[in-house]
Amino acid sequence: MDTAAHIAQAERFGAHNYAPLPVVIASGEGAWVTDVEGRRYLDCLAAYSALNFGHRHPALVAAARAQLDRLTLTSRAFGNDRLGEFCQRLAELAGKDMVLPMNTGAEAVESAIKVARAWGYRIKGVPDGRARIVVADGNFHGRTTTIVGFSTDPDARNGFGPFTPGFDVVAYGDAEALEAAITDETVAVLIEPIQGEAGVILAPEGYLAQVRALTAERGVLFIADEIQSGLGRTGATLECDNAGVVPDLYLLGKALGGGIVPVSAVVGDAEVLGVLRPGEHGSTFGGNPLAAAVGLAVIDLLSTGEFQARARDLGAQLARRLGELVGYGLVDVRVRGLWAGVDVDPDLATGRRVCELLADRGVLAKETHGSTIRLAPPLVITDQELDLAVDRLTEVLADLSHAG
Ligand SMILES: *Cc1c(COP(=O)(O)O)cnc(C)c1O
């Protein structure tokens, strides 16, 4: 089957909740994928950072294979011999006491909302049913009904109500607005240290420290959604490390599953995560031995610091090269580690159009919205490959300028 036939089949039998670029991938290795017609592409999206270690990293595939030959699923009705080690190693990596293992990112967010509410009622003493959580304008925390209810993106939200009450939205990066929104009934502040889906929006200098100080002062949990920013992408294990802050709860996902299985987690201290009692929360697949084995191999990769260093070094190269394009087809770029939000001149093209033209030239990237595209190549990409990606972007922008 050729590309068109695959797309037609997926359109005919699959729900239309995505509008993928017309590239049908059949295999992948490292930073490269090959489509059904044998064309090779440099992957500069990395499945929204779920592929931080590239496609089929040998150590991750080996860990998965070994576990497949032994045990894959037990449910949490019983223990399994990988779960404890996974929880301990992940807690240590994040500098926390405890881990609540789940599967998808949205589940980690949902779990943290439940934990924060339970903590609010049982520890903080908020009257039952009154707990509130402050979130940020432009947030992306997933796609469940509760989460889209506090999204400010009309596409994500409109038509899916009624929504779960108990959330207050403030401007991202505005510590005064945050302070004003906190009441005695506020149990948590939930924010992304970098807003990925919003266009790789970096927190203003000092903002995360202000969030930490305010929440500590007012007896409110600080929940950092590091599902996309965490696990090496930004040049540190966690973006909060870059900012020098320690939230109460980290939400991890995406790269935690090594691009092989969905693995997510809420990571926190015993005073907070310890509020959950048996029977109050769970997941059939959460903490399964295959997920734990892959997660452990991911933690091993992160433990050397090699990938964080690569993200820092290659990120400096990416920032330099993209910076040179500002005024030449780009109006702004934001780079942290190996992660860039690239604002194309809206008079030139939409982000979607730029991504189509990049795909024609063998580079895969994805727009966030409008004329903004995101570059998040796997951290295994080489400096030459990274240069190649920016060269292709330079060509696309030059072509668009000449056409216009
Ligand atoms: C992707 C993402 C999520 C949701 O993760 P899923 O695995 O798609 O449910 C939540 N928060 C952030 C910051 C994300 O980038």
Side-chain angles (χ1 to χ4, degrees), residues 52 71 217 237 278 288 291 370:
N52 276 2
L71 180 74
E217 209 174 284
T237 302
N288 72 73

Side-chain angles (χ1 to χ4, degrees), residues 169-203:
V169 183
V170 298
Y172 186 69
D174 184 341
E176 272 173 37
L178 176 65
E179 183 168 22
I182 294 175
T183 71
D184 291 345
E185 293 171 347
T186 304
V187 295
V189 172
L190 166 63
I191 54 167
E192 299 155 82
I194 292 174
Q195 289 191 318
E197 299 307 304
V200 192
I201 307 297
L202 308 180

Side-chain angles (χ1 to χ4, degrees), residues 71-302:
L71 180 74
T72 56
L73 185 62
T74 55
S75 86
R76 296 289 303 276
F78 315 105
N80 74 67
D81 66 358
R82 309 314 305 268
L83 178 63
E85 189 186 358
F86 170 66
C87 291
Q88 179 178 351
R89 295 278 314 281
L90 185 58
E92 286 168 0
L93 184 78
K96 291 288 184 187
D97 298 336
M98 271 189 172
V99 167
L100 170 61
M102 299 296 288
N103 311 285
T104 65
E107 283 179 305
V109 174
E110 289 277 352
S111 303
I113 290 168
K114 286 176 69 177
V115 167
R117 287 177 172 179
W119 173 87
Y121 301 133
R122 294 168 194 177
I123 309 290
K124 181 169 176 169
V126 173
D128 193 40
R130 311 273 316 172
R132 304 198 65 81
I133 294 175
V134 180
V135 299
D137 189 22
N139 70 72
F140 182 86
H141 296 290
R143 299 293 197 169
T144 64
T145 46
T146 287
I147 293 171
V148 301
F150 59 82
S151 168
T152 56
D153 173 0
D155 287 340
R157 173 190 162 89
N158 288 359
F160 300 112
F163 299 122
T164 310
F167 297 92
D168 300 299
V169 183
V170 298
Y172 186 69
D174 184 341
E176 272 173 37
L178 176 65
E179 183 168 22
I182 294 175
T183 71
D184 291 345
E185 293 171 347
T186 304
V187 295
V189 172
L190 166 63
I191 54 167
E192 299 155 82
I194 292 174
Q195 289 191 318
E197 299 307 304
V200 192
I201 307 297
L202 308 180
E205 190 68 37
Y207 176 64
L208 297 174
Q210 286 174 304
V211 173
R212 178 66 287 184
L214 279 173
T215 48
E217 209 174 284
R218 303 290 296 274
V220 169
L221 300 178
F222 176 6
I223 307 173
D225 182 345
E226 294 244 23
I227 290 166
Q228 197 165 160
S229 59
L231 308 180
R233 173 59 55 191
T234 66
T237 302
L238 299 155
E239 173 58 14
C240 284
D241 297 343
N242 279 333
V245 305
V246 179
D248 296 290
L249 297 176
Y250 291 106
L251 309 184
L252 301 176
K254 293 203 164 100
L256 190 56
I260 299 177
V261 279
V263 185
S264 71
V266 182
V267 186
D269 287 325
E271 302 90 79
V272 182
L273 266 185
V275 299
L276 287 180
R277 298 182 289 235
E280 290 185 333
H281 191 59
S283 160
T284 304
F285 290 95
N288 72 73
L290 181 60
V294 172
L296 275 164
V298 165
I299 294 163
D300 280 340
L301 292 182
L302 286 168

